[in-house]
Amino acid sequence: MPDLASAVPAYVLLAVLAVIVVLLTVVAIVARAVVAKARPEDLPHVLPGLGQVLAALALFLPWGRGARGQTVAPPVPVRSERRGGRRPQG
């Protein structure tokens, strides 16, 4: 059985490599811009969404076609008191 790399012309391999590098560069630029614009207190909510976007973009890579893992739900803020004052007694 012939090796796949020897059966594909070099210019095709270079084109595929260039596309992968461009995709990774775009992903890095977008991720950096999102993290830079997010407020520090919003990062726990922004990062899980950014992770899902990155996981979706990874499907464009040749090795990104595997089984997808579980998605992580963003953390839910916990409030100790209701708005409008104290709890009714009784």
Side-chain angles (χ1 to χ4, degrees):
M1 184 180 284
D3 189 26
L4 180 64
S6 64
V8 177
Y11 66 89
V12 173
L13 292 176
L14 286 175
V16 169
L17 181 64
V19 168
I20 290 172
V21 169
V22 168
L23 281 174
L24 291 175
T25 304
V26 168
V27 167
I29 290 170
V30 169
R32 187 172 178 167
V34 167
V35 171
K37 289 189 180 222
R39 296 181 305 194
E41 61 268 12
D42 290 339
L43 281 179
H45 301 287
V46 169
L47 292 179
L50 184 60
Q52 290 180 353
V53 170
L54 294 177
L57 289 174
L59 293 175
F60 285 107
L61 298 173
W63 55 85
R65 302 277 182 208
R68 297 183 68 173
Q70 293 180 343
T71 58
V72 178
V76 178
V78 178
R79 296 182 182 176
S80 59
E81 295 181 16
R82 294 183 180 185
R83 292 185 181 181
R86 302 171 72 170
R87 287 183 155 173
Q89 298 293 327

